[in-house]
Amino acid sequence: MQKDFSKQLIKGKIAELVFDQMFREAGEYTVIPFGYESVVPELMQYTKGLDRSILDNIRNAPDFALVSHEPKEVSLVEVKYRSRVDMDDIQKNAQAICDRWKLAWIFIATPAGFYFDKCTDLIKTEAVPTKLSEDLVSKELQEKYVVLLTEFIRQ
């Protein structure tokens, strides 16, 4: 069990690195680590005064804030690695994110490519994940990072 957990954790971290580097390299975005691992170490010194619900929200925070340069827009993004697209799994994850972070997005890294959607769109009946737009990240850059992803993650 521990081996499987560790393997999944490492795959998730690789997907986060792929997202971070790919969007930075696209050059139109500032990528800011936002998730639990980034925020909590700083906050731990203040936890005695924090409400439990605040800590729960922080524990479930999306992984990144993605800031577009023109026009200036901020999107909170949860990053997931999946070996394949499973709509039930995606909708379950999107719903959990929406419950706390209504305007968040989800980025799904798979060996077949990348998907990027608003969580609110994915929880709708008949929803289908959308391939990452070439308007956001060029096809060539996406292909480069799919190759990197698959080099590091053997299914």
Side-chain angles (χ1 to χ4, degrees), residues 100-120:
R100 294 184 191 271
W101 301 89
K102 300 220 180 307
L103 301 177
W105 290 69
I106 190 166
F107 174 87
I108 303 164
T110 75
F114 305 114
Y115 298 85
F116 191 56
D117 289 282
K118 289 181 186 176
C119 290
T120 53

Side-chain angles (χ1 to χ4, degrees), residues 10-46:
I10 291 167
K11 286 179 179 181
K13 292 298 177 192
I14 291 169
E16 288 176 15
L17 286 167
V18 164
F19 172 86
D20 188 346
Q21 290 304 120
M22 183 171 61
F23 274 89
R24 286 178 194 271
E25 192 172 332
E28 301 297 321
Y29 308 92
T30 299
V31 182
I32 303 168
F34 186 75
Y36 176 76
E37 301 87 353
S38 301
V39 175
V40 168
E42 194 66 29
L43 279 177
M44 287 311 287
Q45 61 188 321
Y46 306 109

Side-chain angles (χ1 to χ4, degrees), residues 40-134:
V40 168
E42 194 66 29
L43 279 177
M44 287 311 287
Q45 61 188 321
Y46 306 109
T47 56
K48 287 184 182 176
L50 283 179
D51 181 315
R52 234 27 223 158
S53 64
I54 293 172
L55 285 175
D56 285 344
N57 278 338
I58 292 169
R59 279 190 189 97
N60 293 292
D63 299 306
F64 294 95
L66 185 64
V67 183
S68 63
H69 296 165
E70 289 298 323
K72 285 254 191 248
E73 292 180 5
V74 178
S75 301
L76 300 179
V77 181
E78 177 70 15
V79 175
K80 297 287 185 193
Y81 170 79
R82 295 293 183 260
S83 58
R84 60 181 173 74
V85 174
D86 174 344
M87 205 52 216
D88 289 337
D89 174 63
I90 290 169
Q91 284 184 314
K92 184 179 119 194
N93 277 279
Q95 184 64 60
I97 296 163
C98 273
D99 288 346
R100 294 184 191 271
W101 301 89
K102 300 220 180 307
L103 301 177
W105 290 69
I106 190 166
F107 174 87
I108 303 164
T110 75
F114 305 114
Y115 298 85
F116 191 56
D117 289 282
K118 289 181 186 176
C119 290
T120 53
D121 291 342
L122 287 173
I123 61 175
K124 295 175 184 173
T125 306
E126 308 289 326
V128 176
T130 307
K131 284 279 197 175
L132 177 62
S133 171
E134 292 176 24

